[in-house]
């Protein structure tokens, strides 16, 4: 089965403080077939964080983020939300923030060009 995946590297920006970004530059993988963004701290690690969304015509509904205990406090969830917002903006998609963490992130750091709908 072919999976349409894209890879993003999320770099620190002025909108994010250094404490909000993982110690290493995160590698975020987007799987459009599974409707998720995934972060692993290394190729061999089982530590996997993810953001799940539902896709509707012209809207990505961010439903859930999960970061395992080993990756918490390093800005990984923020990197996942940022990657999702950048992706949505690049495709002219609107974003619905059903996930409380994503909603809080947008209040603190902005939408990175994505249009947010209710």
């Amino acid at each position: 089965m072919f999976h349409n995946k894209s890879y993003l590297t999320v770099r620190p920006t002025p909108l994010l403080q250094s404490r909000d970004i993982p110690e290493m530059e995160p590698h975020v993988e987007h799987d459009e077939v599974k409707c998720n963004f995934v972060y692993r701290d290394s190729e061999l690690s089982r530590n996997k964080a993810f953001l799940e969304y539902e896709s509707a015509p012209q809207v990505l509904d961010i439903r859930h983020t999960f970061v395992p205990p080993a990756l918490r406090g390093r800005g990984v969830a923020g990197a996942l939300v940022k990657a999702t917002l950048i992706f949505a903006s690049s495709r002219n998609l609107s974003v619905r923030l059903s996930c409380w963490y994503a909603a809080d992130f947008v209040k603190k750091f902005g939408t990175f060009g994505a249009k947010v709908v209710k």
Side-chain angles (χ1 to χ4, degrees):
M1 174 182 224
F2 174 76
H3 290 280
N4 186 6
K5 294 183 180 180
S6 58
Y7 299 89
L8 298 171
T9 300
V10 180
R11 300 176 190 275
T13 67
L15 293 175
L16 296 175
Q17 303 300 315
S18 61
R19 65 177 168 69
D20 298 315
I21 297 294
E23 295 153 7
M24 55 193 279
E25 191 172 275
H27 178 77
V28 177
E29 179 180 315
H30 179 211
D31 188 332
E32 289 186 65
V33 173
K34 293 182 180 178
C35 295
N36 66 23
F37 285 81
V38 178
Y39 167 83
R40 291 181 201 271
D41 58 346
S42 74
E43 290 293 321
L44 302 175
S45 176
R46 291 188 176 168
N47 290 324
K48 179 174 88 170
F50 59 87
L51 177 148
E52 296 175 328
Y53 65 87
E54 290 183 9
S55 183
Q58 298 301 321
V59 178
L60 290 183
D61 185 357
I62 300 175
R63 306 292 292 172
H64 179 66
T65 55
F66 172 77
V67 178
L71 297 177
R72 290 180 186 162
R74 296 172 43 194
V76 173
L80 289 166
V81 173
K82 180 180 175 183
T84 306
L85 294 170
I86 291 169
F87 172 78
S89 177
S90 73
R91 298 281 178 96
N92 288 327
L93 300 173
S94 297
V95 177
R96 183 173 294 118
L97 304 171
S98 296
C99 169
W100 68 268
Y101 180 85
D104 283 352
F105 180 91
V106 165
K107 284 179 189 173
K108 290 180 185 176
F109 302 110
T111 65
F112 295 89
K115 180 183 175 189
V116 176
V117 296
K118 292 188 179 208

